């Protein structure tokens, strides 16, 4: 079985084609880059509308797959920015009608989780999903992915992006902050904000910008922000492991590209006798392959939607989505 998936929830327009064993046969992506500040939803959607048709062609070419071999067309239904979601959904509906193939709606967060899970080879791991808009510790139970802990304000990636722009950089902040942090060494005092199983980042943002205004070195600020915020994530992940009686963790989402976060979670899991797995970076960040793979799982379990009922869901939460491909 071969499924094509379309991702367009935020900055990234991407088309992926995957096979039965989660092999990525084709993947083509293009990123909207705001000229200044953060994302402008309508501009991003315009970007996606422009690039998606060519991305479909590139993904098919690189996969050496003909449209007739695609068995279902999956798309990210939510969560995300309305105009961006609608751009991807429109292309998916059109392909579904033109190719006479079923349309499969996919939750973007569940897709980050499913691609990371299948690549890890672990059947039922605990998941740390750390991306732009989301920061969640997730475990599966009785037909749903359950959110055990999460951010109380902004997603860690958006926090890193905002912070980096505040320090004079440009979007995306996460990778640039990672390089900058490698030059730093002094740990400056920042609020450490863990509340039970949850975390919050806005206090660290304010405190960092205040230290910056007082002349603190940017490399030390970057280092301190990374050490502090990744320690918070590692702590809530460890607490979740302890509660669930588990030892292994799978990372997903764009921030899972980060070397320091990977190392901190790895050290924590290994001290418990477990292990950490993170997908290759191209499959941590938003990508069409994760939508295609989750679409394949859903389609095999009988999930499809008529075009008339395939509206997007900008606020669709991880724990509200049924996952009939997983045993109860
Ligand atoms: P969501 O899944 O919440 O909708 P998203 O759509 O914003 O997230 P992702 O591609 O999953 O997109 O994640 C993008 C985020 O990952 C950005 O905030 C970016 O700064 C961050 N990021 C990417 N690489 C790194 C890195 N090496 N270190 C830290 N953060 C990173
Ligand atoms: Fe994402």
């Amino acid at each position: 079985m071969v499924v094509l998936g379309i991702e367009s929830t935020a900055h990234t327009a991407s088309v992926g084609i995957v096979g039965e064993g989660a092999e990525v046969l084709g993947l083509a992506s293009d990123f909207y880059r705001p000229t200044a500040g953060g994302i402008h939803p309508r501009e991003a959607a315009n970007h996606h509308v422009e690039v998606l048709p060519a991305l479909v062609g590139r993904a098919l070419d690189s996969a050496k797959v003909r449209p007739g071999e695609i068995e279902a067309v999956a798309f990210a239904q939510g969560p995300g920015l309305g105009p961006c979601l609608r751009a991807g959904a429109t292309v998916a509906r059109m392909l579904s009608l033109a190719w006479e193939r079923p349309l499969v709606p996919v939750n973007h967060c569940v897709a980050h989780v499913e691609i990371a899970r299948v690549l890890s080879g672990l059947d039922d791991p605990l998941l740390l999903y750390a991306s732009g808009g989301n920061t969640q510790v997730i475990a599966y139970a009785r037909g749903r992915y359950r959110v055990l802990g999460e951010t109380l304000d902004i997603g860690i990636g958006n926090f890193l992006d905002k912070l980096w722009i505040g320090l004079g950089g440009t979007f995306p902040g996460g990778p640039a902050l990672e390089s900058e942090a490698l030059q730093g060494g002094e740990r400056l005092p920042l609020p450490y904000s863990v509340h039970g199983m949850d975390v919050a980042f806005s206090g660290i943002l304010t405190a960092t910008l205040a230290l910056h205004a007082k002349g603190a070195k940017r490399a030390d600020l970057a280092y301190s922000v990374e050490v502090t915020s990744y320690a918070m994530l590692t702590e809530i992940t460890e607490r979740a492991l302890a509660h669930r009686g588990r030892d292994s963790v799978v990372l997903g989402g764009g921030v899972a590209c980060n070397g320091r976060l990977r190392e901190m979670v790895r050290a924590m899991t290994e001290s418990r006798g477990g292990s950490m797995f993170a997908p290759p970076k191209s499959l941590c960040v938003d990508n069409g392959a994760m939508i295609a793979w989750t679409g394949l799982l859903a389609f095999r379990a009988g999930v499809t939607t008529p075009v008339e009922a395939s509206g997007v869901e900008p606020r669709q939460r991880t724990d509200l989505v049924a996952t009939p491909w997983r045993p109860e």
Side-chain angles (χ1 to χ4, degrees), residues 7 9 108 112 129 131-132 253-254 284-286 290:
E7 158 62 30
T9 56
H108 175 91
H112 273 296
Y129 165 39
S131 66
C284 283
V285 295
D286 288 353
M290 69 184 192

Side-chain angles (χ1 to χ4, degrees), residues 161-180:
D161 294 338
K162 253 191 207 177
L163 188 127
W164 186 242
I165 290 168
L167 296 180
T170 54
F171 179 88
L177 197 89
E178 175 167 27
S179 317
E180 183 80 23

